[in-house]
């Protein structure tokens, strides 16, 4: 959310329009060797050079073994870590590494032909493999390979860096000896929220990775494991792979299991079928300073912005900025929360924002988030929470946290999300995975259709922000990607001052709502079907709306509430 600045990469339009594409890399030939030294970072940063001291040896997280690279961008430095390897002229090499983080690049320069690179826009929710190939020139005997992050992003991690190809005569790491694919995968022990997965042991395996719907969710030492936190009456696909010091072997054949009980999306009963969401600022940045009681009655969900991080990983607190809000007291705030709820509104606490630093990357921090959020809901009367983490999230542990909170709060929990456009371009993104994983308890995803530059629509075409096509074609990705229409909302700035870019007039918002719900007032893009149960719209913020004379809520609110 645009507290000051959302992520707005200058290259977003280029990437969306075609950009950098990972090349499919075939397996190395039998005679190939790994010409990179210390590619698993088991010897710290030996043989590696990182810009401006940005690199460090990490013992966690690691993909395999005991070490990994941690590199932290700072200022104008993108934390580039490189190594020069000895290669053979006129030869093809396969370059790959496992990475964790947002906007991590892998590449090679000085190839003598065409330099190559690939990248991941992933939200930092787990290890992802980057791979590409390069061919050396007729006189090339050395090539520099590298990885780097992106400006303004958190630290990234890399492990299992390799360059396989003909031996160029220099020092090399030993070739791989990977374990085989596990056989005999089976599902048993079905319950409403869990399954048990088992498989046959693999020779030379140090442990096993469990994948749920293509996402790694567990690392286990044995040949069976319970899988919990699942939705009732839902089918899941599982695969298992074995790993050892050489790396991860191939995955098993997929096996499917289905939980028992009832299921399906559960739009929160306290929220109207069509709802208007507004973010309320707990700070003064030039917009109108408001008490909650000042917020327009058009808003059905009011997201209090923002929760604060604590010294306990994953845990949150809420500190009312009484001084910045003209002496607004905690007692008045709590009374206003209660009054809004009595009027049929939902008041939720937003976690994150542009400056948010809350990280949920393991079971302990997931538990801390659930426990602290529940305590704040009880203390202040919040109906639920909003996830607005703009520096990535881990879908496995965020899902764990949200399900733990749901277990405490029950069906009255209001759960919303406000991802950036790039977070919802693919169902493989961490945000999208999380939304689908908690679909049965999710109220609405109000994606931020601003501060992003051009993006791909669901038809594969590129659309520029600020148009009705940008709103409808990007909403279509979520609508066709698995979310129920009642879980999709359109998030826009309330005024040009509310965001760095992407403001659209209320008329364009209303046209987009008509296009999606009724099939009318569309631009050049028209969805193949209508979504009459579309949840509604969101704005940043109620304060900027008030500053502009409530123009946005007075125009968009009635349109939302009048949807079919």
């Amino acid at each position: 959310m645009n507290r000051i600045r959302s992520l707005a990469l200058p290259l977003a339009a280029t990437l969306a329009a075609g950009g950098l594409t990972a090349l499919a890399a075939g397996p190395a030939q039998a005679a190939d060797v790994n010409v990179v030294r210390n590619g698993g970072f088991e010897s710290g940063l030996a043989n590696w050079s990182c810009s401006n001291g940005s690199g460090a040896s990490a013992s966690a997280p690691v993909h395999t073994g005991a070490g990994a690279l941690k590199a932290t961008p700072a200022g104008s430095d993108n934390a580039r870590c490189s190594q020069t390897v000895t290669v053979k002229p006129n030869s093809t090499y396969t370059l790959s590494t496992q990475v964790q983080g947002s906007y991590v690049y892998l590449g090679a320069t000085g190839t003598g032909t065409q330099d190559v690179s690939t990248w991941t826009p992933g939200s930092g929710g787990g290890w992802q493999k980057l791979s590409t190939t390069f061919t050396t020139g007729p006189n090339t005997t050395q090539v520099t390979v590298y990885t780097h992050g992106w400006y303004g992003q958190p630290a990234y991690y890399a492990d299992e860096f390799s360059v396989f190809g003909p031996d160029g005569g220099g020092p090399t790491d030993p070739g791989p000896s990977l374990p085989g694919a596990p056989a005999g995968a089976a599902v048993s022990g079905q319950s409403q929220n869990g399954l048990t997965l088992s498989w046959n042991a693999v020779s030379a395996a140090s442990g096993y990775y469990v994948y749920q719907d293509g996402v790694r969710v567990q690392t286990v030492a044995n040949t069976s494991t319970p899988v919990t936190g699942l939705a009732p009456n839902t089918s899941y696909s599982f695969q298992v792979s074995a790993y050892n010091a050489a790396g991860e072997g191939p995955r098993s054949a997929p096996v499917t299991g289905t939980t028992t009980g009832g299921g399906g999306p559960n739009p929160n009963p306290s929220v109207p079928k069509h709802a208007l969401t507004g973010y309320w600022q707990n700070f003064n940045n030039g917009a109108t300073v408001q008490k909650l009681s000042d917020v327009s009655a058009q808003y059905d969900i009011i997201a209090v912005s923002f929760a604060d991080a604590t010294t306990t990983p994953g845990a949150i607190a809420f500190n009312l900025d009484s001084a910045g809000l003209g002496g607004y007291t905690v007692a008045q705030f709590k009374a206003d929360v209660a009054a809004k709820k009595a009027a049929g509104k939902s008041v939720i606490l937003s976690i994150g924002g542009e400056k948010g630093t809350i990280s949920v990357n393991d079971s302990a921090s997931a538990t801390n988030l659930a426990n602290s959020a529940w305590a704040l809901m009880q203390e202040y009367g919040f109906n639920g929470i909003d996830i607005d983490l703009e520096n990535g999230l881990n879908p496995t542990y965020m899902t764990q946290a949200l399900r733990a909170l749901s277990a405490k709060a029950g069906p009255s929990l209001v759960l919303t999300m406000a991802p950036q456009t790039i977070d919802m371009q693919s169902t493989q993104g961490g945000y999208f995975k999380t939304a689908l994983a908690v679909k049965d308890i999710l109220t609405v995803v109000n994606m931020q259709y601003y501060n992003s530059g051009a993006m791909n629509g669901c038809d594969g075409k590129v659309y520029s922000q600020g148009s009705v096509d940008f709103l409808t074609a990007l909403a279509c990705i979520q609508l066709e990607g698995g979310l129920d229409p009642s879980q999709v909302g359109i998030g826009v700035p309330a005024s040009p001052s509310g965001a760095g870019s992407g403001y659209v007039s209320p008329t364009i918002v209303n046209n987009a709502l008509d296009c999606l719900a009724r099939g009318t007032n569309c631009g050049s893009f028209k969805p193949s079907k209508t979504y009459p149960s579309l949840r509604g719209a969101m704005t940043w913020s109620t304060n900027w709306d008030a500053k502009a004379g409530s123009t946005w809520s007075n125009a968009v609110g009635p349109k939302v509430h009048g949807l079919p």
Side-chain angles (χ1 to χ4, degrees):
M1 199 60 57
N2 194 56
R3 175 183 276 191
I4 295 178
R5 174 187 63 82
S6 283
L7 178 63
L9 299 179
L11 47 63
T14 302
L15 298 178
L20 303 172
T21 304
L23 300 176
Q29 300 300 311
D32 289 349
V33 297
N34 183 7
V35 298
V36 161
R37 289 152 288 163
N38 188 31
F41 301 96
E42 303 303 315
S43 300
L45 298 186
N47 306 114
W48 291 91
S49 176
C50 296
S51 59
N52 294 320
S54 57
S57 178
S59 58
V62 298
H63 191 266
T64 59
L69 166 69
K70 176 182 180 181
T72 308
S76 61
D77 178 62
N78 61 10
R80 172 178 165 132
C81 294
S82 62
Q83 179 179 146
T84 298
V85 298
T86 303
V87 294
K88 188 176 181 179
N90 294 321
S91 301
T92 298
Y93 292 81
T94 298
L95 169 65
S96 68
T97 188
Q98 295 283 346
V99 298
Q100 187 173 134
S102 300
Y103 308 100
V104 187
Y105 285 71
L106 170 72
T109 62
T111 64
T113 57
Q114 181 179 4
D115 292 347
V116 299
S117 66
T118 184
W119 70 300
T120 173
S123 54
W127 290 102
Q128 300 180 64
K129 185 174 183 178
L130 287 177
S131 183
T132 186
T133 61
F134 64 87
T135 300
T136 56
N139 300 309
T140 303
T141 58
Q142 288 190 320
V143 171
T144 298
V145 294
Y146 65 86
T147 182
H148 69 71
W150 197 252
Y151 311 102
Q153 295 299 296
Y156 70 89
Y157 296 85
D159 201 356
E160 298 179 39
F161 201 110
S162 65
V163 181
F164 280 103
D167 188 352
T172 63
D173 275 358
S177 179
L178 299 175
V187 172
S188 62
Q190 287 90 341
S191 68
Q192 181 166 304
N193 299 111
L195 300 163
T196 297
L197 183 65
S198 61
W199 58 91
N200 297 339
V202 175
S203 176
S206 300
Y208 301 91
Y209 296 133
V210 175
Y211 289 84
Q212 175 184 313
D213 294 330
V215 179
R216 187 190 296 178
V217 294
Q218 290 189 35
T219 301
V220 297
N222 301 314
T223 57
S224 68
T225 184
V227 184
T228 58
L230 305 179
N233 193 31
T234 302
S235 294
Y236 296 89
S237 176
F238 298 97
Q239 289 177 286
V240 183
S241 67
Y243 69 87
N244 57 23
E248 180 183 6
R251 299 182 194 179
S252 67
V255 61
T256 300
T258 303
T259 52
T260 61
N266 177 31
N268 187 277
S270 67
V271 177
K273 177 182 178 181
H274 300 296
L276 196 71
T277 301
Y279 284 77
W280 175 84
Q281 298 178 186
N282 180 36
F283 51 88
N284 182 356
N285 65 347
T288 299
V289 173
Q290 291 183 312
K291 296 180 174 64
L292 277 183
S293 56
D294 299 327
V295 174
S296 167
Q298 292 287 353
Y299 292 102
D300 305 291
I301 302 175
I302 304 168
V304 172
S305 310
F306 293 96
D308 298 303
T310 71
T311 56
T312 301
I316 58 172
F318 176 68
N319 300 292
L320 186 70
D321 184 11
S322 296
L325 302 181
Y328 194 21
T329 68
V330 171
Q332 289 174 316
F333 177 80
K334 290 181 178 179
D336 286 346
V337 172
K340 284 293 185 183
K341 291 169 65 177
K345 312 300 181 180
S346 295
V347 183
I348 61 178
L349 179 61
S350 183
I351 300 172
E354 187 270 330
K355 291 186 175 180
T357 56
I358 293 97
S359 296
V360 180
N361 293 319
D362 53 30
S363 293
S365 56
T367 299
N368 292 338
L369 175 58
N371 289 344
S372 58
W374 175 236
L376 293 172
M377 288 174 62
Q378 293 177 298
E379 179 180 358
Y380 289 92
F382 297 127
N383 297 82
I385 61 172
D386 168 69
I387 304 300
D388 181 21
L389 298 174
E390 298 192 3
N391 292 309
L393 55 77
N394 183 307
T396 299
Y397 296 110
M398 181 55 70
T399 296
Q400 180 178 320
L402 297 178
R403 289 207 171 276
L405 179 60
S406 175
K408 298 174 183 292
S412 63
L413 177 71
V414 176
L415 173 59
T416 71
M417 295 183 177
Q420 299 168 110
T421 52
I422 199 167
D423 294 324
M424 302 298 283
Q425 283 278 283
S426 167
T427 55
Q428 295 306 302
Y431 242 113
F432 216 138
K433 287 179 182 177
T434 303
L436 294 176
V438 298
K439 182 177 176 180
D440 58 309
I441 59 172
L442 177 64
T443 307
V444 63
V445 175
N446 291 305
M447 190 175 77
Q448 303 175 45
Y449 294 76
Y450 51 95
N451 286 345
S452 73
M455 285 287 163
N456 283 331
C458 67
D459 58 354
K461 296 180 180 179
V462 177
Y463 294 94
S464 298
Q465 64 179 5
S467 65
V468 66
D469 289 332
F470 187 79
L471 303 182
T472 55
L474 268 68
C476 174
I477 297 176
Q478 301 169 63
L479 292 162
E480 296 301 311
L483 292 181
D484 190 84
S486 66
Q487 296 170 320
V488 176
I490 295 175
V492 294
S495 74
S497 301
S501 64
Y503 170 75
V504 293
S505 70
T507 299
I508 290 180
V509 179
N510 289 348
N511 287 345
L513 293 170
D514 277 337
C515 178
L516 294 169
R518 297 186 171 96
T520 61
N521 291 327
C522 299
S524 62
F525 171 80
K526 185 171 183 178
S528 59
K529 60 183 178 181
T530 59
Y531 309 92
S533 61
L534 188 79
R535 179 64 83 173
M538 170 275 282
T539 197
W540 177 266
S541 62
T542 65
N543 306 73
W544 286 115
D545 184 28
K547 180 85 169 182
S550 299
T551 300
W552 191 88
S553 57
N554 286 338
V556 180
K559 171 63 71 172
V560 166
H561 298 138
L563 290 174

